[in-house]
Amino acid sequence: MPELPEVETITRQLRSFVSGKKIDSITVLRPSVLPKETPSTFSARLRGRRIRKVGRRGKYLIFCLDGYKLIVHLRMTGKFLSYHTRPRENAHLRILFGFNDGSWLAYHDQRALGTLFTVQDKEVVSELDKLGVEPFSPSFTPNFLYQMTRQSRQPLKEFLLNQNRVVGLGNIYASEVLYDCGMHPERGAESLSRDEVKRLTASIKGILRQAVEANGTSLSNYRDLLDQTGNFQTSLKVYGREGERCERCGTEIKRIKQKGRSSYFCPQCQR
Ligand SMILES: [Zn+2]
């Protein structure tokens, strides 16, 4: 599933590909990716409008048009692809946007679990409203994170996945962050000292920044707007490396299940 670095990469590419373009046509091939409105309402709200900007909040993409916003969550296999001529339809093409300059944007989604919906410009969006702080924002400080850990009884890995405190971390980067700062994924969040929270904060910012610079991680199906892979998979230290040797200490990397999801860690380096 795309996490912050992948969604940030797509946001930057979309910003340069669609900003200022007017949507001329919308073809909905799979209405189930529009859980909140009919294809005709969806199309009527967006057709003929110009895209003013593209932003990101957590793992959500936000297209700002005149009067409306288009909000997208890619979930497991959603991706946007850009074209300069109309692409041929295929089994995974769910929605096709045509622009006034003759270019096209396709929403592909193999499992079709992603969601797109529109809201009026000033509407409060409950999905976005409850999200925690952005890890690159000035509000994300060691003191903020320390306060959050005081209110949690969760193991660190689950604490990091919760999007209501700090947004953007999923299964891959939560494992990498905890390896980076040497903390066991099952350790209770409330057991961290102020110094440890400071290290955790630095690791979250550091790992996410490196991953954004590498255009994200492609392990299975993540592709960017140009259908290219990210590069951070070669920098992963523990995620997906069960049974391999830790590059710091040589101990075998372990995998455990937490709430049904795999966590990877070095039992020697992470306490
Ligand atoms: Zn180790």
Side-chain angles (χ1 to χ4, degrees), residues 87-103:
R88 258 194 301 222
E89 288 180 15
N90 66 56
H92 300 148
L93 177 59
R94 308 306 184 188
I95 300 187
L96 185 61
F97 300 88
F99 297 108
N100 59 319
D101 67 345
S103 64

Side-chain angles (χ1 to χ4, degrees), residues 85-214:
T85 54
R86 188 184 173 111
R88 258 194 301 222
E89 288 180 15
N90 66 56
H92 300 148
L93 177 59
R94 308 306 184 188
I95 300 187
L96 185 61
F97 300 88
F99 297 108
N100 59 319
D101 67 345
S103 64
W104 300 82
L105 182 67
Y107 177 69
H108 282 255
D109 196 338
Q110 189 183 341
R111 295 175 63 179
L113 297 172
T115 51
L116 296 84
F117 61 94
T118 61
V119 293
Q120 290 183 37
D121 215 5
K122 299 276 180 270
E123 210 172 314
V124 175
V125 184
S126 59
E127 289 88 340
L128 303 183
D129 213 36
K130 64 186 179 200
L131 290 176
V133 301
E134 288 288 335
F136 296 142
S137 79
S139 329
F140 184 61
T141 60
N143 191 43
F144 167 82
L145 197 61
Y146 184 75
Q147 298 310 327
M148 292 292 116
T149 59
R150 295 311 96 174
Q151 301 157 17
S152 173
R153 293 281 170 274
Q154 283 180 306
L156 270 177
K157 166 79 180 316
E158 288 163 34
F159 173 84
L160 293 179
L161 293 185
N162 186 325
Q163 302 296 301
N164 300 338
R165 302 185 185 104
V166 50
V167 296
L169 292 163
N171 221 31
I172 296 176
Y173 297 110
S175 281
E176 293 299 310
V177 161
L178 291 174
Y179 175 80
D180 189 63
C181 60
M183 294 172 195
H184 196 287
E186 286 181 309
R187 195 171 154 192
E190 82 284 5
S191 74
L192 266 57
S193 68
R194 279 195 179 270
D195 270 357
E196 287 175 315
V197 171
K198 207 169 166 180
R199 264 167 45 213
L200 176 59
T201 310
S203 289
I204 292 171
K205 289 177 192 265
I207 293 289
L208 290 177
R209 187 159 286 128
Q210 289 168 40
V212 168
E213 281 165 14

Side-chain angles (χ1 to χ4, degrees), residues 179 246-251 253 266-270:
Y179 175 80
C246 165
E247 66 177 52
R248 277 185 201 151
C249 75
T251 305
I253 304 294
C266 170
Q268 180 67 31
C269 295
Q270 295 177 251

Side-chain angles (χ1 to χ4, degrees), residues 14-38:
L14 280 170
R15 199 174 283 148
S16 79
F17 184 69
V18 303
S19 292
K21 293 183 184 179
K22 198 173 81 185
I23 300 177
D24 269 356
S25 70
I26 299 172
T27 312
V28 178
L29 296 132
R30 177 75 174 255
S32 72
V33 298
L34 306 175
K36 299 195 180 198
E37 58 214 314
T38 62

